[in-house]
Amino acid sequence: MSKDEVPGVGPYGGPAGGWGALQAVARALRQQMGVTREAKMLLKVNQPAGFDCPGCAWPDPRSTSSFEFCENGAKAVSWEATTKRTTPEFFAHHSVGELWKWTDFDLENEGRLTHPMRYDRDSDRYIPVSWEEAFSRIGANLRALPDPNMAEFYTSGRASNEAAFLFQLFARRFGTNNFPDCSNMCHEATSVGLPEAIGVGKGTVTLADFEHCDAIFCIGHNPGTNHPRMLATLREASLRGTKIVVLNPLHERGLVRFTSPQDPVEMMTGRSTPIASDYLQVKIGGDVAVLKGMMKTVLALDRESLATGGQGVLDRAFIAEHTSGLDDVVADVDATSWDDVEGTSGIARAEIERIGRLYAESKAVIVCYGMGITQHRRGTANVQQIVNLLLMRGNMGRDGAGICPLRGHSNVQGDRTVGITEIPSPELLDAIERVFGFPPPREHGHSAVAAIEAMRDGRAKALICLGGNLPVAMSDPEASFEAVRGLDLAVHIATKLNRSHLLVGKETFILPCLGRTELDMQESGAQSVTVEDSMSMVHASRGSLTPASELLKSEPAIIAGMAKAALDDTRLDWDGWIADYDRIRTLIEAVFPSFERFNERVREPGGFRLYIPASERRWATPGGRARFIAHQGVLADPRVERSDALILATIRSHDQYNTTIYSYNDRYRGITGRRDVLFVNEVDLAARGLKHGDLVDVETIEDVEGLCGKRRVERLTAVAYDIAPGSLAAYYPEANCLVSLSDVDPRSGTPSYKSIPVLLSLSRSEGAAVDDAHMWQRGDVPIDRTGAATAADAGKPAIDRTTPP
Ligand SMILES: Nc1nc2c(c(=O)[nH]1)N[C@H]1C(S)=C(S)[C@@H](COP(=O)(O)OP(=O)(O)OC[C@H]3O[C@@H](n4cnc5c(=O)[nH]c(N)nc54)[C@H](O)[C@@H]3O)O[C@H]1N2
Ligand SMILES: Nc1nc2c(c(=O)[nH]1)N[C@H]1C(S)=C(S)[C@@H](COP(=O)(O)OP(=O)(O)OC[C@H]3O[C@@H](n4cnc5c(=O)[nH]c(N)nc54)[C@H](O)[C@@H]3O)O[C@H]1N2
Ligand SMILES: [Mo]
């Protein structure tokens, strides 16, 4: 079968951005909002609307919260500001059992939740409940727990600083540090790896540094889709002549060429700007090999320079004054053979030497990275290898140089800053005690994986979710779904219905909240909340749209309502704090000294940057120095070695926001109207007697540590793709059933979503869906819900999933 004969699979030849992006924005707005006043307002690009885009955490050039044009930002905003509603009538018509069979797309596409709802077991339906009754039942259930550590308080990274701060206060006063959060599945390897190395778990660069660097390395992230506004930064850098080196197994469009929708000339002439100057299609898990190869090159150049009377290539003054541990890293890099580097990375030595030399010759370098680095068995070590490379040339804490982890959710970094952590420092707990007068629990709590395990084993019986879709985002849906179904109490503070809400326990509540875009009126007037972006800029966000329903409450108000019902501490003035969020910010400032003059500074245009000591070459490590940390071996994941196994990464399509599926398209990868595909290199297909378009089964192998028992996905359609040989990719969250709960980086607990060793074979299965836990992944009907041409429109047969092509 040739490429264009597989329904819904075709080539995409153009650049990222351009008219396609504008059309996608228009479509998203039309389908979710109609031609309303609000939609028109959002279309006015670059007009300050006052709210922080709920899309990604990439900073705004002016550090304001204006709605800067971006295709996926527009999707996120219109998805929230939709005119569709999920009402009590809807729930009366559809039982939970019936809704379970809906796809994730269909569930959220019903629109915004309008009423607080309670699950009624007799009718298997959600029925409306008053806020008062919901709070009092939640409070009673929490009080009934024999041990506060039997409750889990989950945070998804969209929550504001104010909501997150009140949430941690509520949980700690209740008596637990059980704070599973989305960060545990995301940048935890950064949060653990960077503090050990440079004394702070955040990136060190600001947007201005991108104007002063001469090389940018983009490792394991896909900005064209996940941080689209970053393309504007990369485009400007490229136009200035900055070298942009990409390490990624997939040839991602947004990293190749970009047509800026903001640039009339590019738009009218159809021209585009190249982004990557070098694109290395590393094998999944091969990054450490490349990084070590680069370090080998730097050391060789250094020795050569010294031997010929030069100054060397290492930044010796910086290393002597600021660092420790170089010798161990040099010994390890010297002991690493080029054979291993080439074999593991799949990249030729000459190529690695070329980018190694480029690195050595650049005066200022930034390394950006995402989930391609963190979501591996050795995610923490991967992060620290990047630091080693940067430290060698003093690329840290000076203009144009540093490390840039691309955060996920728009406030995931801020949530951590204001206390959402299962491993609180003694300083944080002391400060809470000083400010609020109660002794918070000292015992460490549960991360996301540990929380699921505790629920599965009956050690936790209540789950309060501040947003998100935890069991669906988590590995091993079988275990995660069962864990949540076994609860006595599940509470979901949410904007839209999702699958987590259908995992009903004894008492289950859906509490509908205001979104970022909406006006938040409290006693003292309209409120703003604050967020922190990927570069530690804190700024205000104020919604302006009329709320989706009169019954909605803000996240802080919902937390306060539950806290009042569950706690007996009259010193905590929940009502007073909700009346005026300035008071919450005053509390944040009292607990965290870095927020000094919070209310004043956040009112300055652009907000303020939190102090990042490493940005000024101050190292908050035990020894007061930045640390080179050696890790032996070249594998990002120890299992990559199995020669018969292919390594599968789970990735995001262009039309999804984590578990939120905006449509079944993935435009830049040429996929339309479906998600049940597996991206495979042609060579790997041929080696197994397979071809493009075949229905295939994917099965995990028992790994060296015996952690990853047999798991299968059946009947995916193989797509011959420009991906590194030996590497496979499939969509998250559907492919989560291939990851076992224990399959994590032991240092940070980050699930290894990006390296799953699997075997691939022609599908033997006859049936359609494997089982109900995963049925949604297939999209029962291959329609394109965005209105783009469907396979049928194009005169092609609809996909028949019952007979192999
Ligand atoms: N529109 C949109 N925006 C988002 C999100 C979204 O879902 N949709 N999610 C938000 C969140 S929470 C996050 S964390 C970020 C995620 O942003 P990204 O980090 O970009 O996330 P992924 O799509 O998971 O893919 C990462 C990239 O890693 C590559 N990759 C996979 N394995 C490897 C490897 O071993 N090595 C290397 N070098 N590369 C590898 C993949 O090919 C892919 O290009 O985006 C945030 N922004
Ligand atoms: N296999 C695999 N699994 C992964 C990943 C991967 O790359 N591969 N990535 C991981 C990563 S990086 C992350 S961050 C997690 C994401 O995990 P989560 O953060 O738990 O998931 P989301 O899909 O972002 O949550 C979506 C839901 O949030 C709710 N929501 C949206 N806006 C708001 C709001 O303003 N307030 C409230 N209260 N609720 C709101 C809606 O109800 C929506 O259904 O998934 C992880 N899981
Ligand atoms: Mo994330």
Side-chain angles (χ1 to χ4, degrees), residues 58 203-205 210 230 366-370 402-406 534-535:
W58 186 254
T204 64
V205 298
F210 284 81
M230 183 188 191
I366 295 174
V367 177
C368 305
Y369 68 92
I403 193 158
C404 178
L406 286 141
S534 247
M535 296 181 190

Side-chain angles (χ1 to χ4, degrees), residues 697-710:
D697 293 347
V698 173
E699 188 176 67
T700 60
I701 56 167
E702 200 74 53
D703 72 37
V704 274
E705 285 152 50
L707 286 177
C708 179
K710 283 255 190 292

Side-chain angles (χ1 to χ4, degrees), residues 321-568:
E321 188 186 340
H322 288 283
T323 71
S324 65
L326 175 65
D327 292 350
D328 290 347
V329 168
V330 170
D332 172 60
V333 169
D334 282 342
T336 306
S337 74
W338 276 109
D339 277 355
D340 278 353
V341 167
E342 287 187 310
T344 307
S345 65
I347 310 281
R349 172 174 177 172
E351 287 274 286
I352 298 174
E353 283 179 334
R354 187 161 52 77
I355 60 164
R357 198 169 305 116
L358 189 154
Y359 173 79
E361 287 164 1
S362 299
K363 288 195 197 72
V365 177
I366 295 174
V367 177
C368 305
Y369 68 92
M371 298 299 101
I373 283 292
T374 60
Q375 293 175 335
H376 291 278
R377 215 38 103 71
R378 289 190 185 143
T380 303
N382 294 352
V383 169
Q384 293 179 340
Q385 296 288 1
I386 293 177
V387 175
N388 291 341
L389 177 70
L390 286 169
L391 292 178
M392 281 187 173
R393 299 232 338 119
N395 276 312
M396 194 72 87
R398 62 181 167 82
D399 274 3
I403 193 158
C404 178
L406 286 141
R407 292 282 168 170
H409 275 290
S410 50
N411 195 41
V412 61
Q413 188 161 317
D415 292 344
R416 266 288 157 81
T417 305
V418 301
I420 300 292
T421 169
E422 73 279 13
I423 31 177
S425 66
E427 297 78 49
L428 168 61
L429 299 174
D430 292 346
I432 291 174
E433 184 158 3
R434 176 170 45 74
V435 174
F436 296 100
F438 70 88
R442 298 265 153 184
E443 189 190 338
H444 288 177
H446 294 152
S447 66
V449 169
I452 295 283
E453 285 169 345
M455 291 187 270
R456 182 197 57 193
D457 302 343
R459 287 177 284 116
K461 280 301 198 183
L463 170 67
I464 318 279
C465 292
L466 179 52
N469 199 359
L470 169 64
V472 177
M474 180 47 76
S475 333
D476 195 345
E478 241 169 284
S480 302
F481 291 1
E482 188 196 314
V484 178
R485 281 195 176 113
L487 293 172
D488 289 344
L489 174 70
V491 179
H492 302 280
I493 304 173
T495 49
K496 296 244 184 138
L497 182 64
N498 67 38
R499 191 165 301 278
S500 294
H501 311 160
L502 306 176
L503 295 163
V504 287
K506 280 208 187 102
E507 288 244 42
T508 310
F509 296 87
I510 305 175
L511 306 180
C513 66
L514 294 172
R516 283 271 174 86
T517 53
E518 289 163 321
L519 185 65
D520 181 356
M521 266 304 199
Q522 303 294 346
E523 231 173 271
S524 68
Q527 304 296 314
S528 300
V529 293
T530 60
V531 292
E532 175 186 340
D533 67 30
S534 247
M535 296 181 190
S536 306
M537 297 295 305
V538 178
H539 49 94
S541 170
R542 178 181 289 219
S544 51
L545 303 186
T546 310
S549 143
E550 283 180 0
L551 282 177
L552 300 188
K553 284 186 187 293
S554 73
E555 289 176 345
I558 296 173
I559 295 161
M562 292 190 293
K564 279 198 303 180
L567 308 173
D568 304 294

Side-chain angles (χ1 to χ4, degrees), residues 88-111:
E89 292 71 50
F90 168 85
F91 286 108
H93 276 106
H94 306 285
S95 70
V96 166
E98 182 200 335
L99 290 172
W100 182 258
K101 300 196 181 108
W102 289 31
T103 64
D104 288 347
F105 169 85
D106 288 328
L107 291 174
E108 285 208 33
N109 193 41
E110 277 303 310

Side-chain angles (χ1 to χ4, degrees), residues 80 108 113 154-159 182-183 185-187 371 375 408-409 465-470 472-475 493-498 501 513-516 555 650-652 657-660 731-733 735-736 739 753-754:
E80 176 179 306
E108 285 208 33
L113 295 157
Y154 177 70
T155 311
S156 170
R158 209 175 267 196
C182 70
S183 215
M185 299 178 263
C186 182
H187 263 292
M371 298 299 101
Q375 293 175 335
H409 275 290
C465 292
L466 179 52
N469 199 359
L470 169 64
V472 177
M474 180 47 76
S475 333
I493 304 173
T495 49
K496 296 244 184 138
L497 182 64
N498 67 38
H501 311 160
C513 66
L514 294 172
R516 283 271 174 86
E555 289 176 345
T650 57
I651 54 171
R652 292 155 167 82
Y657 195 93
N658 299 336
T659 66
T660 293
Y731 294 123
Y732 142 63
N736 286 28
V739 189
Y753 295 127
K754 293 285 188 275

Side-chain angles (χ1 to χ4, degrees), residues 186 222 226 247-248 252 285 287 371 376 652 656 658 754:
C186 182
N222 182 22
N226 297 318
L247 289 184
N248 197 312
E252 304 280 27
D287 303 279
M371 298 299 101
H376 291 278
R652 292 155 167 82
Q656 77 181 81
N658 299 336
K754 293 285 188 275

